[in-house]
Amino acid sequence: MNQITVLRDDARAWIDQVRSADVIVGIPSYKNAATISHVVQVAGEGLDKYFPDAKAAIVNSDGGSPDGTRDVVRNTPVPAGVHVLATEYQGLAGKGSAFRAIFEIAAALGAKACVVVDSDLRSITPVWIDRLGGPILREGFGYIAPLYIRHKHDGTITNNITYPMTRMLYGLDVRQPIGGDFGFSGEIARWWLTQQVWETDVARYGIDIWMTTTAIAEGFRVGQAGLGLKVHDAKDPASSLGPMFSQVVGTLFSLMRRYADLWLSVRSVQPVPLVGELPQGEPESVPVTVSVTIAKLRDGLWSNSRSLDKILSAEQYRAVGDIAATDEESFAFPAETWARVVFDFALAYKNEVLPADQIMAAMVPLYYGRTAGLVKEASGMNAEEFERHVVQTQVEIFLKLKPELVAQWDE
Ligand SMILES: Nc1nc2c(ncn2[C@@H]2O[C@H](COP(=O)(O)OP(=O)(O)OP(=O)(O)O)[C@@H](O)[C@H]2O)c(=O)[nH]1
Ligand SMILES: [Mg+2]
């Protein structure tokens, strides 16, 4: 068994008492007292209904919430036979450390399948637990990513970078590589625990892209679970996604170095097996303030000019300068320009032209710029039109331009 490093005494005592489990649902949290009870209740129902013969547990891995999140979990009724732990992990503060504690508990209990779901989900239903965990327990999958429809203003990091890059680099059409709700085997959890990443951004919001990328690159069988709509406490991309962006994309870039031998030779895209039905429908809307995102592009271009001069090619630097100079009315940030900007940043990260944190800080304003462009392109579209005309168009552009990145990588 792996060494236990992030578990407190209460969690260790609980493990000694429960001893083993077949299926675990892990729920990371930080200040989610208002929403987590629903998630725990639905997880309990899902385990009871779809895994009646399995020994099951729910583990809330909390970041020391001051709002009583853990007590809410303890006071939520679950079906008889489902064990519940609400504990505070130790280590670097972040979602990844919360997951590490869940992996350690899964390993200690010898769990065969593990499901993780976010604590701010409002659209979760019991069947999610089956779709994410069933293929692991019963069909030999190693990793299940979620497939759901999100509002066009939600998931801007996914739509603008983690989806197009994952698909282009590794050749697998995983639509929600950082969706947060996953199923995985005990085997992969034990492998993740052996990796020396827990002092990096993987311990924070880098965890999702790291799990998905390593699952693909290490050859685990990957599937997607049709989960319908994702409705959660979504953040306005104009105001609160900067740090998350740096952590996710910095992790994606460092994985590009690790798995270069793999992705440099990938040229086509394979579909991912679907569990359940293709999602449909229109989720509730997420607000976005375009004027704020454009202002962040302009301010950031100016304040990061010395970094951008080292990172961007002259052509791309000129292009984003022209984009920033257009007024909100006619603002556009073409996907081609964005793809080439992303490639320039990936190369700068690999070649260490500046310290990683400076590179990522200089990229955030450009992400705001592309987000404003995406919101403008999506204007008047429903979820289905947005998927077809904006998201799928952009991923095809990344794939078409991949040879430009490959040619520069080993220069
Ligand atoms: N334990 C712990 N959990 C965290 C921490 N940060 C986030 N989480 C949990 O991780 C899950 C996802 O976080 P969210 O902030 O909802 O992020 P998201 O939904 O991926 O991102 P958005 O699309 O921007 O809303 C939630 O269950 C959070 O409670 C943390 O520092 N510690
Ligand atoms: Mg959320």
Side-chain angles (χ1 to χ4, degrees):
M1 197 182 78
N2 290 286
Q3 218 185 329
I4 289 183
T5 55
V6 285
L7 303 183
R8 290 181 191 267
D9 289 345
D10 61 329
R12 292 164 197 251
W14 180 84
I15 289 169
D16 287 343
Q17 184 205 326
V18 174
R19 302 175 69 124
S20 70
D22 302 311
V23 189
I24 291 181
V25 176
I27 309 173
S29 64
Y30 185 60
K31 298 202 266 193
N32 302 99
T35 52
I36 199 166
S37 185
H38 174 65
V39 178
V40 172
Q41 203 183 320
V42 170
E45 279 175 45
L47 287 167
D48 188 51
K49 180 166 177 192
Y50 296 103
F51 302 89
D53 303 322
K55 187 166 172 189
I58 296 174
V59 173
N60 167 223
S61 184
D62 183 63
S65 302
D67 66 351
T69 297
R70 295 186 302 287
D71 285 331
V72 171
V73 172
R74 293 182 191 117
N75 293 329
T76 299
V78 295
V82 176
H83 300 270
V84 177
L85 171 69
T87 188
E88 213 181 301
Y89 60 82
Q90 306 185 86
L92 266 184
K95 181 182 170 183
S97 291
F99 272 32
R100 185 189 188 190
I102 293 166
F103 303 158
E104 288 193 346
I105 291 169
L109 296 178
K112 299 183 192 75
C114 200
V115 170
V116 283
V117 287
D118 283 353
S119 51
D120 64 337
L121 284 168
R122 282 181 275 126
S123 59
I124 186 171
T125 59
V127 77
W128 283 35
I129 307 301
D130 186 43
R131 298 259 163 93
L132 292 168
I136 305 287
L137 200 63
R138 297 188 274 261
E139 295 167 50
F141 279 89
Y143 190 73
I144 302 290
L147 184 66
Y148 27 47
I149 295 180
R150 305 170 68 167
H151 185 260
K152 62 189 180 181
H153 300 160
D154 188 24
T156 50
I157 302 175
T158 300
N159 293 338
N160 280 324
I161 187 156
T162 57
Y163 174 44
M165 286 294 277
T166 300
R167 181 177 179 279
M168 177 202 81
L169 291 169
Y170 303 102
L172 210 55
D173 196 12
V174 181
R175 178 66 184 84
Q176 297 286 340
I178 60 167
D181 311 300
F182 303 107
F184 50 86
S185 64
E187 184 194 351
I188 196 169
R190 289 192 298 276
W191 184 81
W192 283 330
L193 287 171
T194 65
Q195 301 299 297
Q196 308 291 317
V197 294
W198 302 106
E199 303 298 320
T200 71
D201 281 341
V202 173
R204 303 197 284 167
Y205 280 119
I207 184 73
D208 294 35
I209 193 64
W210 181 78
M211 289 164 65
T212 299
T213 306
T214 54
I216 298 169
E218 299 293 330
F220 288 91
R221 244 179 98 201
V222 176
Q224 292 189 108
L227 302 178
L229 301 179
K230 173 166 178 166
V231 181
H232 66 139
D233 291 348
K235 304 176 192 78
D236 178 344
S239 52
S240 42
L241 290 176
M244 184 190 263
F245 180 87
S246 303
Q247 293 162 28
V248 171
V249 179
T251 302
L252 185 152
F253 287 162
S254 69
L255 287 161
M256 282 176 76
R257 264 201 299 222
R258 174 167 180 179
Y259 292 119
D261 288 348
L262 177 64
W263 67 259
L264 283 166
S265 61
V266 169
R267 284 190 185 79
S268 59
V269 178
Q270 308 301 321
V272 186
L274 173 71
V275 182
E277 304 95 50
L278 272 179
Q280 295 180 353
E282 188 62 42
E284 72 180 53
S285 71
V286 173
V288 61
T289 328
V290 179
S291 56
V292 174
T293 49
I294 296 175
K296 288 194 171 183
L297 169 68
R298 289 179 186 146
D299 293 350
L301 279 191
W302 184 76
S303 58
N304 291 280
S305 59
R306 293 175 61 149
S307 300
L308 290 168
D309 203 35
K310 293 202 173 74
I311 296 164
L312 292 177
S313 67
E315 191 191 339
Q316 256 45 258
Y317 203 176
R318 211 173 317 113
V320 296
D322 291 346
I323 289 168
T326 44
D327 57 28
E328 185 179 336
E329 187 68 16
S330 48
F331 187 90
F333 196 128
E336 272 93 357
T337 308
W338 171 243
R340 292 195 171 104
V341 163
V342 173
F343 294 176
D344 281 354
F345 273 91
L347 291 161
Y349 195 98
K350 180 227 171 200
N351 295 326
E352 300 179 350
V353 305
L354 284 169
D357 57 333
Q358 280 178 43
I359 294 175
M360 295 322 300
M363 193 173 182
V364 170
L366 293 159
Y367 154 69
Y368 283 124
R370 173 56 195 148
T371 297
L374 175 138
V375 170
K376 297 280 287 188
E377 283 172 33
S379 166
M381 292 185 188
N382 65 22
E384 189 265 325
E385 293 160 338
F386 172 68
E387 181 65 23
R388 203 148 33 97
H389 298 304
V390 180
V391 177
Q392 293 303 321
T393 302
Q394 175 159 262
V395 294
E396 286 304 325
I397 287 167
F398 271 74
L399 193 65
K400 186 185 81 193
L401 299 182
K402 181 174 181 179
E404 296 183 11
L405 174 65
V406 171
Q408 292 177 84
W409 188 261
D410 285 323
E411 251 171 31

